[in-house]
Amino acid sequence: MNSHFQNDCVEILKERAAKGQISRRQMLQGMAALLGTSALSLGATQARAADGKLVFVNWGGDALDAMQEAFGQPFTAESGIQVLYDGSGPTEGAITAQVTGGNPTWDLVDADPFTSQALGRKGMMEKIDYTIVDPTKQREGFQWDYSSSCYFYSYVIAYDATQFDTPPTSLKDFFDTDNFPGKRAMYKWGAGMWEAALLADGVAPADLYPLDLDRAHAKIEGFKDHIGAFWGGGAESQSLLLNGDVSMALIWNTRASLLDKDTEGEITFTFQDGIIGPGGIGVLKGNPGGTEEAMRYIAATQDPARQAKFFELMGNGPSNPAADSLIPEELRHYNPMDPENLPKQVALNTDWYEENYASALDAYLQLISA
């Protein structure tokens, strides 16, 4: 689920640069921040770790030289360690093949925290060294053995404000087409949608996990006639609302923020009943660049100024709480981790996803494709 969001972040940067809303330099800085804290695309050659080098693998793209300048070079300047970026995509299978093959060429990966946790328990990931990675620069409740939190995103209720006299304020409203008419859009990959269905069905946030999938799927099944589309990418979710295909959608906060800005609030959103998702960085077992060096790289991504800058460009919530205060006052209402917004939301449970995501997704895909 994370890779879809991460790829969309790159698309947002490119779209904003194309519209002249940010400079190319800002785009590249954002990509660099994204690379350091999430997924990026760098196409190209298979980088190999070597002495004095680290290889960070994410989900594809380009702009290698710029990322070296914006993110790698500062880290190299302070550490003497060169960072090479590889966009091959750190899937669970690829990581497994690297480690079980006995000769990994990757050091750090932008993988879902639950993926790193699952692989870590199988002996394929290094434990995060919290003597180097500062746990006080992470959010309470988002600290894992095999993954370091690096940013946050949220599934939020976005809606066409011109369609309603009274704006929706909850997931119950999202599923209420009598009082809030119009088609809806939901995410095709399941994450966050199970939680949304259960919350709308009356499950208390504290009682969400373990998810009652039968109940969630029954709720969605009974609502399918009102769903205009199950979106698969951020641009698609945005266009469904802009084109008037749906009046309300559960989408990423990054896209919802852009809609709010671009339409001057005609299409807006609420963090109420939002579903928070974390991104994380993991380190392969026996990484060739050195475990300590990899941990130092992760620690560098905790820099609050860099995280605040990335939020300004992308809308990703900082993993370091210290970054919240660096976000300009006029933009804080877009930060999913802002103290005003966070209490309104529920976090995805990494432990549950680690154990259940694959089977849950299979059942969900069968449901929405039937």
Side-chain angles (χ1 to χ4, degrees), residues 253-254 256-262 264-265 268-269 271 311 314-317 327-338 341:
N253 70 289
T254 45
S257 298
L258 291 175
L259 283 167
D260 182 70
K261 294 171 184 174
D262 292 346
E264 297 182 338
T268 187
F269 71 100
F271 278 115
F311 167 81
M314 289 299 306
N316 296 68
I327 292 174
E329 183 74 30
E330 66 273 17
L331 297 178
R332 290 180 184 178
H333 65 288
Y334 291 126
N335 178 12
M337 306 308 285
D338 187 87
N341 297 325

Side-chain angles (χ1 to χ4, degrees), residues 10 13-14 27-36 40 62-63 67:
V10 175
L13 283 171
K14 292 177 178 176
M27 179 187 75
L28 296 175
Q29 287 174 331
M31 286 182 167
L34 184 61
L35 183 66
L40 239 231
D62 53 8
M67 290 175 193

Side-chain angles (χ1 to χ4, degrees), residues 302-324:
Q302 297 180 300
D303 177 75
R306 187 177 297 274
Q307 294 200 359
K309 181 64 178 176
F310 183 57
F311 167 81
E312 287 185 47
L313 292 167
M314 289 299 306
N316 296 68
S319 62
N320 185 347
D324 292 342

Side-chain angles (χ1 to χ4, degrees), residues 139 142 154 169 199 205-206 270-276 324 332-333 335-347:
R139 309 272 179 180
F142 295 100
S154 182
T169 58
L199 290 169
T270 176
F271 278 115
Q272 190 64 50
D273 285 2
I275 315 293
I276 287 283
D324 292 342
R332 290 180 184 178
H333 65 288
N335 178 12
M337 306 308 285
D338 187 87
E340 292 291 323
N341 297 325
L342 185 56
K344 301 174 182 176
Q345 304 172 80
V346 177

Side-chain angles (χ1 to χ4, degrees), residues 8 30 88 109 112 129 135 138 169 174 207 220 227 249 288 307 315 319 345:
D8 192 57
S88 300
V109 290
D112 279 309
D129 186 344
Q138 296 176 330
T169 58
F174 181 86
D207 298 329
I220 296 169
I227 297 177
Q307 294 200 359
S319 62
Q345 304 172 80

Side-chain angles (χ1 to χ4, degrees), residues 146-347:
Y146 298 99
S147 180
S148 177
S149 64
C150 51
Y151 68 89
F152 291 87
Y153 57 95
S154 182
Y155 299 91
V156 298
I157 303 169
Y159 58 94
D160 185 343
T162 67
Q163 300 296 313
F164 310 118
D165 294 332
T166 303
T169 58
S170 70
L171 285 167
K172 286 186 178 179
D173 292 344
F174 181 86
F175 282 86
D176 179 0
T177 54
D178 291 331
N179 293 308
F180 298 90
K183 292 290 186 180
R184 305 293 197 260
M186 298 180 70
Y187 188 38
K188 71 179 292 185
W189 298 112
M193 303 301 102
W194 296 301
E195 289 85 349
L198 292 172
L199 290 169
D201 208 38
V203 177
D207 298 329
L208 266 180
Y209 295 96
L211 295 180
D212 185 340
L213 288 175
D214 289 340
R215 183 172 176 177
H217 288 165
K219 180 74 173 179
I220 296 169
E221 174 71 34
F223 194 65
K224 280 177 65 176
D225 288 345
H226 302 287
I227 297 177
F230 288 93
W231 59 270
E236 181 185 6
S237 72
Q238 205 168 342
S239 64
L240 286 167
L241 283 159
L242 283 171
N243 295 337
D245 297 323
V246 301
S247 63
M248 217 181 291
L250 295 174
I251 66 176
W252 291 316
N253 70 289
T254 45
R255 288 288 176 177
S257 298
L258 291 175
L259 283 167
D260 182 70
K261 294 171 184 174
D262 292 346
T263 67
E264 297 182 338
E266 287 192 357
I267 298 174
T268 187
F269 71 100
T270 176
F271 278 115
Q272 190 64 50
D273 285 2
I275 315 293
I276 287 283
I281 304 174
V283 179
L284 271 65
K285 190 74 173 181
N287 70 296
T291 303
E292 180 179 338
E293 289 77 3
M295 297 299 164
R296 290 168 65 188
Y297 176 89
I298 293 174
T301 70
Q302 297 180 300
D303 177 75
R306 187 177 297 274
Q307 294 200 359
K309 181 64 178 176
F310 183 57
F311 167 81
E312 287 185 47
L313 292 167
M314 289 299 306
N316 296 68
S319 62
N320 185 347
D324 292 342
S325 62
L326 301 182
I327 292 174
E329 183 74 30
E330 66 273 17
L331 297 178
R332 290 180 184 178
H333 65 288
Y334 291 126
N335 178 12
M337 306 308 285
D338 187 87
E340 292 291 323
N341 297 325
L342 185 56
K344 301 174 182 176
Q345 304 172 80
V346 177

